[in-house]
């Protein structure tokens, strides 16, 4: 179950980025909905993954030590999900603006995409095949 979720979370990242780029280039309701909803799925997968991940749970169990030691464990416990959640808010804000036909949509989609690029653990495998 854990491996399957890690595989999906890894893969859905590419869909999120693809739809994010689409929403940025054509900031309408349809691309925006694909982006925001795929990102919602990714966040749900991430939250479930955090419960099942030995890395994340181990890091939580010794939180003081985790926070005092820069590295992968601290990155996942303290940084990764924060960027994901902020991007989620921005993408849904963008969708709402796109539905009203407002030009602010593009800025919000762009900021969400930028935050995603900064929050993705690029040191991990690009694909898990
Ligand atoms: C609340 C939001 C999120 C949570 C709680 C979360 C949680 C996690 C956790 C716990 C891991 C490491 C699992 C492990 O190695 O045991 C992980 C890895 C990863 N996350 Fe997230 N995540 C979130 C959002 C996102 C978003 C928005 C993206 C990209 C669009 C993303 C992309 C990735 C990638 C690419 C990995 C590496 C997967 C691998 O090693 O194959 N995550 N995430």
């Amino acid at each position: 179950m854990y491996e399957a979720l890690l595989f999906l979370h890894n893969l859905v990242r590419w869909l999120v980025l693809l739809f994010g780029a689409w929403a940025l280039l054509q900031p309408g309701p349809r691309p925006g909905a694909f982006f925001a909803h795929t990102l919602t799925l990714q966040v749900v997968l991430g939250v479930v993954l955090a419960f099942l991940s030995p890395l994340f749970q181990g890091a939580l169990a010794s939180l003081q030590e985790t926070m005092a030691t820069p590295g992968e464990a601290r990155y996942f416990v303290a940084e990764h999900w924060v960027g994901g959640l902020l991007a989620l808010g921005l993408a849904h804000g963008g969708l709402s603006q796109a539905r009203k036909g407002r030009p602010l949509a593009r800025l919000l989609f762009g900021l969400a995409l930028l935050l995603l690029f900064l929050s993705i653990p690029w040191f991990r495998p690009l694909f898990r095949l």
Side-chain angles (χ1 to χ4, degrees):
M1 181 69 175
Y2 163 64
E3 274 81 15
L5 269 176
L6 194 61
F7 168 81
L8 274 181
H9 195 64
N10 183 313
L11 196 69
V12 170
R13 161 254 313 252
W14 295 111
L15 285 180
V16 170
L17 293 178
L18 196 77
F19 292 139
W22 184 25
L24 184 63
L25 294 174
Q26 289 175 25
R30 193 171 150 81
F34 270 90
F35 180 34
H37 295 145
T38 319
L39 183 52
T40 306
L41 169 70
Q42 179 71 331
V43 166
V44 171
L45 288 173
V47 171
V48 180
L49 186 61
F51 278 95
L52 299 183
S53 160
L55 171 73
F56 197 95
Q57 291 302 317
L60 277 189
S62 47
L63 193 57
Q64 270 196 343
E65 198 191 317
T66 300
M67 296 311 286
T69 323
E72 204 178 2
R74 189 172 84 176
Y75 168 78
F76 281 112
V77 164
E79 294 171 37
H80 175 62
W81 60 270
V82 180
L85 276 190
L86 287 175
L88 184 69
L90 287 166
H92 277 275
L95 175 57
S96 154
Q97 294 297 308
R99 284 181 172 146
K100 292 173 191 151
R102 296 204 185 130
L104 184 61
R106 172 169 272 151
L107 176 67
L108 294 175
F109 290 142
L111 287 175
L113 205 53
L114 178 70
L115 212 54
L116 285 173
F117 268 106
L118 295 175
S119 319
I120 287 176
W122 294 108
F123 53 86
R124 286 294 189 90
L126 296 180
F127 291 99
R128 284 191 186 267
L129 296 174

